[in-house]
């Protein structure tokens, strides 16, 4: 008999749902069904896939409340946040469905002077079956950044959601089967803990799209290395906001508070560090503290934010706060008494030494550090130091200066005068480097990441000089090579 596990509410501990623990055989069987489904999906063509994905999107939009209430039950997040998560998901699915043909469809490319006799074409073919392993913080939006784009690129998907949010994963697959009844095996969900994810990575899928912590990403990468299975890794962040002396401090404070506290700080590209130019540091801190004072996390549908979803995460937040305070930081707001499981009330720390865990490790809680810097150059250097490079933001009255600073930031995405501006723009690729992972979801790169380029040449006429023949006149070929050499020596 298959073992089962229970997903519990992080607020009350009450059971929300029970799910099977899928073992390697179950996972392999799902991948086998997906492979057959991928074949039919490919035969559907661009228009057929687009029509079915948009039908699924419309049905998800109609089922927004059902999805949002399950997201809320499994994560404890407020109703508005859960609904906004569904909306973001719809925006991306819509873009992927509508743009797949434009981005991936076969097109002509210049053949170049050496190959004027050739017609050159490039297209993208689906990889086959994609194994998606997801986290719990945005249980719909985050995995759909892979699932929606992988399906639009012509693949089938087997999805292993987090063990904390498996109900959302199951509902997603059910909703697909309801909306696309002729291809129900194209999106299947397998449930379980780490070993189920490992079984998926080992199952012979054609790519693994992993979202989670860098530690788990390393384990998944080691498994993928055994078969040379390609892997996309969307991992954590330690995002910095840079505040220039010219910035509108009210707007900056508003955005920082939301970016740091929304979803209880459990956002991979959430705001964890702020570097403000010294002349405005105190005024910015005052504005931030003024705003966080009004925010109380709780279980109500309209609370500003909910609990920490993973109970052990509280210990990380506590350690980061206590080590920073012990190293000489000051609490501008909150402190150890802010930890009231399962909630953490807002914490604002200032003057935190750069080598503290609160500056170097992902906190993933509603704690934000606001440090002073001499100028934006120092802010850039500090923002770029460290193991993560996911998102960042710059606040300044001078948008050109903001763009110039953004160019110097090493993260994968930067917002000028907002936070997380890039997350809701489906045409922008999203992802990071170093401990934040590699590869991109969203946008054209997000589609291409689930496809293999397929290059074609079609000979149009016999070339006057043929370099791919043993019988063509050798002297003519030698003259052509010499002519080419001379041209390249000058260009
Ligand atoms: P996690 O690494 O603990 O787990 C992620 C998934 O991996 C889960 O489904 C888990 O069951 C599975 N897993 C665990 N061990 C495994 C193994 N050995 N082999 C295969 N799969 C295994 O991460 P989490 O705690 O669920 O998520 C939080 C992390 O995700 C944070 O670091 C956050 O920053 C990151 N995140 C990143 C993004 C992004 O897009 N960059 C988005 C959301 C979350």
């Amino acid at each position: 008999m298959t073992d089962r596990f229970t997903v519990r509410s992080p607020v009350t501990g009450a059971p929300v749902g029970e799910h099977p623990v899928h073992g390697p055989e179950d996972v392999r069987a799902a991948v086998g069904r997906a492979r057959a489904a991928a074949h039919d999906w490919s035969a559907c063509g661009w228009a057929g896939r687009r029509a079915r994905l948009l039908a699924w999107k419309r049905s998800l939009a109609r089922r927004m409340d059902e999805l949002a209430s399950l997201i809320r039950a499994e994560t404890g997040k407020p109703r508005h946040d859960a609904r906004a998560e569904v909306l973001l998901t719809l925006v991306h699915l819509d873009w992927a469905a509508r743009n797949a043909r434009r981005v991936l469809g076969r097109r002509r490319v210049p053949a170049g002077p050496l190959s004027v006799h050739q017609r050159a074409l490039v297209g993208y073919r689906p990889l086959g079956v994609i194994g998606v392993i997801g986290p719990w913080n945005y249980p719909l939006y985050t995995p759909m950044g892979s699932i929606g784009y992988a399906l639009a690129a012509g693949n089938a998907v087997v999805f292993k959601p987090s063990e904390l949010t498996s109900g959302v994963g199951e509902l997603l697959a059910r909703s697909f089967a309801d909306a696309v009844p002729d291809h129900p095996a194209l999106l299947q969900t397998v449930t379980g803990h780490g070993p189920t994810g490992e079984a998926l990575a080992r199952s012979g899928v054609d790519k693994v799209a992993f979202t989670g912590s860098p530690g788990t990403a390393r384990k998944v990468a080691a498994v993928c290395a055994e078969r040379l299975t390609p892997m996309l890794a969307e991992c954590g962040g330690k995002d910095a906001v840079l505040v220039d002396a010219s910035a509108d401090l009210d707007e900056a404070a508003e955005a920082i508070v939301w970016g740091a506290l929304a979803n209880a700080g459990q956002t991979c590209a959430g705001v964890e560090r702020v570097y403000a130019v010294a002349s405005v540091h105190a005024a910015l801190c005052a504005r931030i503290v003024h705003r966080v004072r009004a925010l109380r996390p709780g279980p109500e549908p309209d609370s500003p934010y909910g609990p920490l979803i993973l109970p052990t995460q509280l210990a990380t937040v506590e350690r980061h706060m206590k080590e920073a305070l012990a190293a000489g930081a000051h609490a501008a707001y909150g402190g150890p008494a802010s930890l009231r499981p399962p909630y953490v009330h807002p914490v604002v720390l200032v003057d935190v030494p750069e080598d503290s865990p609160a500056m170097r490790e992902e906190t993933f809680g509603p704690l934000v550090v606001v440090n002073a810097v001499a100028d934006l150059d120092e802010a850039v250097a500090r923002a770029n130091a460290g193991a993560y490079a996911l998102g960042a933001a710059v606040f300044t009255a001078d948008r050109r200066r903001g763009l110039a600073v953004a160019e110097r930031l090493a993260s994968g995405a930067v917002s000028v005068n907002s936070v997380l501006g890039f997350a809701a723009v489906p045409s922008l690729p999203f992802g990071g480097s170093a401990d934040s992972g590699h590869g991109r979801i969203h946008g054209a790169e997000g589609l291409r990441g689930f496809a293999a380029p397929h290059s074609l040449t079609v000979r149009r006429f016999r070339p006057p000089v043929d370099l791919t023949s043993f019988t063509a006149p050798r002297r003519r070929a030698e003259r052509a090579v010499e002519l080419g050499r001379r041209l390249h020596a000058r260009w």
Side-chain angles (χ1 to χ4, degrees):
M1 214 179 76
T2 313
D3 284 344
R4 297 183 73 79
F5 66 101
T6 303
V7 172
R8 293 181 180 281
S9 157
V11 176
T12 63
V16 178
E18 265 212 355
H19 307 277
V21 177
H22 287 124
E25 283 200 6
D26 305 307
V27 172
R28 269 198 304 274
V31 172
R33 289 190 295 273
R35 206 164 283 295
H39 186 262
D40 298 345
W41 192 228
S42 173
C44 255
W46 296 111
R49 289 194 290 270
R50 172 188 157 125
R52 286 166 176 80
L53 288 174
L54 290 177
W56 182 35
K57 182 208 68 168
R58 288 190 290 273
S59 89
L60 289 174
R62 286 193 288 271
R63 295 172 78 164
M64 180 186 262
D65 285 329
E66 182 191 357
L67 282 157
S69 60
L70 187 52
I71 293 172
R72 180 164 152 66
E74 291 192 326
T75 64
K77 63 177 76 174
R79 183 171 174 275
H80 167 77
D81 286 9
R83 281 174 58 87
E85 181 173 344
V86 179
L87 176 63
L88 272 180
T89 304
L90 300 176
V91 166
H92 279 278
L93 180 55
D94 184 83
W95 193 91
R98 291 184 196 279
N99 287 279
R101 181 183 205 153
R102 178 183 63 78
V103 172
L104 303 175
R106 197 166 286 289
R107 65 176 198 279
R108 232 179 127 163
V109 292
L114 203 57
S115 301
V116 282
H117 59 295
Q118 302 276 20
R119 184 190 300 272
L121 303 149
V122 65
Y124 291 81
R125 298 212 295 202
L127 299 178
V129 180
I130 309 299
V132 175
I133 301 175
W136 40 261
N137 56 342
Y138 292 92
L140 184 70
Y141 168 67
T142 294
M144 276 295 285
S146 296
I147 295 169
Y149 288 76
L151 289 171
N155 304 279
V157 172
V158 177
F159 173 36
K160 204 305 265 175
S162 164
E163 52 274 38
L164 301 181
T165 53
S166 300
V168 173
E170 284 191 346
L171 179 54
L172 193 62
R174 266 202 318 278
S175 73
F176 185 86
D178 292 346
V180 188
D182 52 342
H183 298 278
L186 263 183
L187 172 58
Q188 299 168 76
T189 292
V190 291
T191 50
H193 303 81
T196 306
E198 185 180 334
L200 184 56
R202 266 186 213 290
S203 65
V205 289
D206 299 291
K207 183 164 184 168
V208 172
F210 170 83
T211 308
S213 57
T216 310
R218 287 186 173 88
K219 291 184 195 164
V220 176
V223 170
C224 287
E226 289 172 19
R227 286 173 170 261
L228 284 184
T229 304
M231 178 190 173
L232 165 80
E234 291 288 343
C235 304
K238 190 74 197 169
D239 288 11
V241 171
L242 286 57
V243 182
D244 186 21
S246 68
D248 179 324
L249 296 184
D250 286 308
E251 289 207 348
E254 186 65 31
I256 288 165
V257 168
W258 184 84
L261 304 185
N263 207 34
Q266 303 161 116
T267 302
C268 52
V271 176
E272 299 213 350
R273 301 177 290 161
V274 178
Y275 294 110
V277 169
S279 58
V280 297
H281 179 254
L284 179 71
C285 287
R287 284 165 168 81
I288 290 174
V289 168
H290 173 71
R291 282 168 174 78
V292 300
R293 225 180 261 290
L295 300 176
R296 300 251 175 293
E300 291 77 25
D302 59 350
S303 296
Y305 65 87
L308 291 199
I309 300 162
L310 180 66
T312 52
Q313 198 61 31
L314 260 107
T316 305
V317 178
E318 183 173 26
R319 178 170 60 84
H320 287 190
M321 175 168 39
K322 287 192 169 163
E323 288 198 24
L325 293 172
H330 301 288
Y333 189 80
S338 305
L339 300 161
R340 302 180 212 171
Y343 300 99
V344 178
H345 288 242
V347 180
V348 183
L349 301 180
V350 295
D351 304 331
V352 180
E354 289 291 321
D355 58 356
S356 293
M359 301 306 283
R360 306 190 66 79
E361 300 169 15
E362 188 181 44
T363 306
F364 229 47
L367 180 159
V368 63
V369 172
V370 189
N371 276 357
V373 287
D375 51 29
L376 281 184
D377 288 341
E378 186 186 347
V380 169
R382 291 197 187 284
N384 283 345
Y388 292 101
L390 191 57
V394 188
F395 282 83
T396 170
D398 181 347
R399 265 184 280 168
R400 286 168 71 122
R401 185 164 158 74
L403 277 173
V405 170
E407 293 285 357
R408 295 166 57 200
L409 288 166
S411 56
V414 186
S415 307
V416 178
N417 291 338
S418 72
V419 290
L420 284 142
F422 39 81
V425 181
S427 51
L428 283 177
F430 178 73
S433 54
D435 270 7
S436 293
H438 49 77
R440 294 292 183 267
I441 53 171
H442 303 167
E445 281 76 4
L447 286 167
R448 288 192 197 109
F450 294 113
H454 191 233
S455 300
L456 292 178
T457 54
V458 181
R459 200 174 90 159
R460 297 156 59 214
F461 53 83
R462 191 182 182 85
V465 181
D466 195 348
L467 297 181
T468 59
S469 160
F470 286 118
T471 54
R474 173 58 62 96
R475 291 211 34 208
R476 218 190 273 177
E478 279 174 359
R479 273 207 304 276
V481 169
E482 178 55 17
L483 179 65
R485 185 193 72 76
R486 286 186 192 178
L487 284 173
H488 278 284
R490 285 189 195 174
W491 276 342

